[in-house]
Amino acid sequence: VASPTPTSPRRVAVVGAGIGGLALARALQTLDTGVEEVAVFDRRSELKPGVGGGIQINGGAAVLARLGLGEQMKASALPVRRILSRKSGGFELLDIDVESLVSAEPALVAPDGTPQAFSIMRDALQRILADSLPVGTVRLGQRLESLREDDAGVELLFEGGAAERFDLVVGADGLSSRVREHVA
């Protein structure tokens, strides 16, 4: 992360409250970036529990720890030590000693020597990230209609007519991204 400069964006909008958008918002608020305000917008009216499957986090565990969320993540996750896959008849398709592989990379080992490889449910990680942000940062039920960029920044226009201006807008709104339509 670069040190803030006089031209660093002060107000940042993140469109999309998935794991990527929420993690970025946490990083901008936690690390020395010069960003003063972050707002996360999502078209959904709620972060739905039970949506999405389990995901494996290796290098991401070190990032979450740096963002101050390592303990919360560990409390909701299971350590991954080995991945073993067999066909129904018992034939071994895959056997990965995750613990040894992760242990060989110093950046993926906690100060106490524990390999940082975990499996966590997507909705649990999303909730940890959302709950780590100050109240009012995540703004649900905000469907982006369009955006307009000029020399003063970027204006977001939402369904219903609301508008808000930011120095920088980040699209983390997935496959059907409204932000992507405006990126040259």
Side-chain angles (χ1 to χ4, degrees):
V1 173
S3 297
T5 67
T7 59
S8 294
R10 300 290 183 224
R11 295 190 77 223
V12 177
V14 178
V15 179
I19 291 169
L22 294 169
L24 174 61
R26 174 69 181 188
L28 290 172
Q29 292 181 337
T30 304
L31 305 175
D32 184 21
T33 62
V35 172
E36 296 170 1
E37 180 186 350
V38 179
V40 180
F41 298 95
D42 201 281
R43 62 182 169 78
R44 295 170 293 172
S45 60
E46 65 178 323
L47 299 179
K48 295 185 177 183
V51 175
I55 57 175
Q56 185 175 332
I57 300 175
N58 297 328
V63 172
L64 290 170
R66 182 160 183 219
L67 297 178
L69 302 173
E71 292 308 312
Q72 294 96 311
M73 189 269 311
K74 287 178 188 177
S76 296
L78 295 172
V80 175
R81 302 293 177 240
R82 182 178 180 199
I83 298 172
L84 178 62
S85 178
R86 292 188 176 120
K87 289 177 72 171
S88 59
F91 178 78
E92 194 173 284
L93 297 171
L94 178 71
D95 187 359
I96 300 174
D97 182 354
V98 175
E99 188 170 19
S100 293
L101 292 173
V102 170
S103 294
E105 177 56 50
L108 301 178
V109 178
D112 67 0
T114 307
Q116 300 298 289
F118 299 93
S119 179
I120 188 170
M121 296 304 291
R122 181 191 180 283
D123 63 333
L125 180 55
Q126 185 180 32
R127 178 56 49 205
I128 290 167
L129 289 163
D131 289 349
S132 76
L133 300 171
V135 173
T137 300
V138 179
R139 304 179 195 178
L140 301 174
Q142 300 291 310
R143 183 181 296 275
L144 180 67
E145 288 292 323
S146 65
L147 54 89
R148 289 191 293 242
E149 184 177 6
D150 57 32
D151 292 339
V154 183
E155 183 177 46
L156 299 178
L157 304 165
F158 296 97
E159 187 176 85
E164 197 163 347
R165 181 168 287 281
F166 293 88
D167 300 318
L168 176 69
V169 175
V170 177
D173 49 339
L175 190 59
S176 301
S177 174
R178 298 299 298 235
V179 176
R180 185 182 315 126
E181 298 171 12
H182 301 279
V183 176

